Amino acid sequence: MLLKANVTSNGAVLLGEHVACDSHEKTRPLRVVTHAHADHMNGLQQSLKNCSTVVMTPATKDLIDILKGPRCLLRGNVKAVEYDKPLTFDDERLTLHKVDHILGAAQVLVEDAEGNRILYTGDFRMANTPVIQSDLLVIEATYGSPWRTRNFADETEHMLVSTVKKGLKQGPVYVFGYHGKLQEVMQILHEAKIKAPFIMPEKILQITRTHQKHGMRICRPLFSTQHEMQSTLHGEAQYIAFYHMNWRRKVGLDKFRVCVSGWEFNVPCRQTGEREYVVALSDHSDFKGLLEYVRQSKPKLVITDNYRAGDAYALSKQIKHQLGIEAKPLPA
Ligand SMILES: [Zn+2]
């Protein structure tokens, strides 16, 4: 069988004849952005200029409008496509299906004229991701090594809440994480009935408002400056500040700090400084979750994404060894 999927040396995941996902490929008229993380928006300007259509979910479009500015997507023909609503191009059918990763994230199914089902998972976390049946599967490999397994998933949210509560007894708490995951932390803390006000830089505030627009429920005032918060709440001393991971060496250095990171596999919460903790909250499947997706999707061949960070070689080897399904990492 001629290979109907590939991952190019610049990270484009090619599906069928017409589709390129998550990087630009000049021979492909359809570009899909699976979600708004930077390593999935490669070559977006080229795609906007050269592709006939750039496809993404409405929520991903809203996030890119904030992250890249409202004029960015106006440079091309962007089509916001809802989950489970197929789009036909020539003799192929493209459908975005939901994945549990960040707001708006999608897996991409292409069905060709011969009825082959060619699927790319994008980034995903197994727990709440619907598994799609496939003949040919391209899967992310972030935690592709067998030792990237977490055996404590149920404890992580509880540890996050108790660590933040401990910090609030001493004063303000600074939380550091990536876009999407910060909003997940806000939701967890809100549901745990932690009352301290939330404060965040303007861009994170806009991203949080986008989450609210798309269904996130956190009914409490959100502030973008300490001055605004203090004049509204009259000298509140306790608060939780949310910053992008890139700011963790720049702000709140003398405060109680919590970083949320997926690269933790031994314990749900680890102390890294006198008043600093890392909580193992991940928006990717661990090794067991990746294998479980492949097992349920029942493909004849698997390609593991060897362009993005992870371990595509180990994952391919384990898919062959444990499931008896042919697999290979690409690009080689
Ligand atoms: Zn991602």
Side-chain angles (χ1 to χ4, degrees):
M1 180 169 93
L2 188 68
L3 210 51
K4 301 212 170 199
N6 198 356
V7 185
T8 68
S9 58
N10 64 354
V13 177
L14 309 183
L15 306 176
E17 299 285 321
H18 308 297
V19 176
C21 306
D22 292 350
S23 190
H24 182 65
E25 166 54 44
K26 61 180 188 296
T27 60
R28 299 287 170 128
L30 287 186
R31 162 72 191 267
V32 177
V33 181
T34 60
H35 65 286
H37 278 154
D39 56 337
H40 297 261
M41 293 195 284
N42 297 344
L44 182 56
Q45 293 304 330
Q46 287 167 281
S47 295
L48 289 165
K49 195 164 164 233
N50 298 307
C51 292
S52 70
T53 311
V54 178
V55 176
M56 60 192 74
T57 63
T60 295
K61 183 176 177 301
D62 286 347
L63 289 175
I64 294 176
D65 280 341
I66 296 164
L67 293 169
K68 301 226 173 234
R71 284 204 303 275
C72 170
L73 294 179
L74 295 176
R75 296 183 189 118
N77 177 34
V78 174
K79 196 169 175 68
V81 177
E82 302 278 355
Y83 294 123
D84 307 322
K85 296 266 191 291
L87 189 75
T88 303
F89 189 92
D90 235 358
D91 54 356
E92 288 183 345
R93 202 158 78 134
L94 166 78
T95 315
L96 303 182
H97 292 281
K98 193 171 172 55
V99 280
D100 178 11
H101 181 55
I102 63 163
L103 177 70
Q107 49 188 331
V108 184
L109 175 68
V110 170
E111 294 160 280
D112 70 8
E114 290 99 65
N116 292 305
R117 295 170 64 84
I118 308 152
L119 182 74
Y120 168 44
T121 61
D123 290 349
F124 73 102
R125 176 168 53 186
M126 188 60 188
N128 293 309
T129 293
V131 176
I132 307 296
Q133 301 280 301
S134 64
D135 299 303
L136 176 52
L137 172 66
V138 184
I139 191 168
E140 66 128 318
T142 308
Y143 301 132
S145 303
W147 53 88
R148 303 291 191 206
T149 297
R150 293 182 208 92
N151 293 312
F152 49 75
D154 300 342
E155 299 158 57
T156 307
E157 288 191 13
H158 172 74
M159 287 305 295
L160 172 67
V161 170
S162 61
T163 305
V164 169
K165 277 184 177 166
K166 182 161 117 181
L168 285 170
K169 284 185 186 145
Q170 303 172 28
V173 173
Y174 278 58
V175 176
F176 300 89
Y178 291 101
H179 295 312
K181 207 187 288 181
L182 283 177
Q183 285 71 28
E184 189 183 343
V185 173
M186 291 177 203
Q187 186 80 67
I188 292 168
L189 299 180
H190 180 74
E191 281 167 15
K193 302 200 164 30
I194 289 181
K195 295 280 186 276
F198 292 173
I199 177 166
M200 63 205 76
E202 183 60 30
K203 189 169 265 189
I204 293 182
L205 184 67
Q206 287 178 32
I207 289 171
T208 306
R209 298 247 187 265
T210 301
H211 280 69
Q212 290 176 307
K213 176 185 161 190
H214 289 277
M216 176 191 187
R217 295 272 166 267
I218 48 164
C219 320
R220 65 169 66 208
L222 306 172
F223 301 100
S224 64
T225 65
Q226 217 157 327
H227 175 76
E228 184 195 357
M229 180 190 77
Q230 277 163 348
S231 60
T232 310
L233 301 177
H234 310 294
E236 176 72 68
Q238 263 193 356
Y239 59 89
I240 305 169
F242 294 88
Y243 279 90
H244 190 273
M245 205 58 133
N246 294 348
W247 285 79
R248 73 187 187 284
R249 299 281 163 248
K250 297 175 195 161
V251 294
L253 296 176
D254 60 340
K255 301 290 196 296
F256 191 100
R257 299 150 56 84
V258 178
C259 297
V260 283
S261 168
W263 290 97
E264 294 287 321
F265 298 93
N266 297 323
V267 286
C269 181
R270 184 164 63 90
Q271 187 163 8
T272 51
E274 197 192 330
R275 301 210 297 157
E276 185 176 274
Y277 293 80
V278 178
V279 173
L281 192 69
S282 178
D283 47 20
H284 287 269
S285 289
D286 70 353
F287 171 73
K288 276 193 305 192
L290 292 171
L291 269 196
E292 185 55 23
Y293 191 103
V294 176
R295 194 182 67 75
Q296 291 185 30
S297 179
K298 301 188 178 73
K300 298 177 190 85
L301 173 65
V302 181
I303 293 167
T304 55
D305 181 355
N306 192 35
Y307 174 80
R308 291 168 183 84
D311 202 335
Y313 279 90
L315 183 59
S316 277
K317 199 172 148 194
Q318 293 298 323
I319 289 168
K320 281 188 264 189
H321 179 68
Q322 296 199 29
L323 303 176
I325 296 172
E326 194 53 43
K328 62 174 171 183
L330 286 175

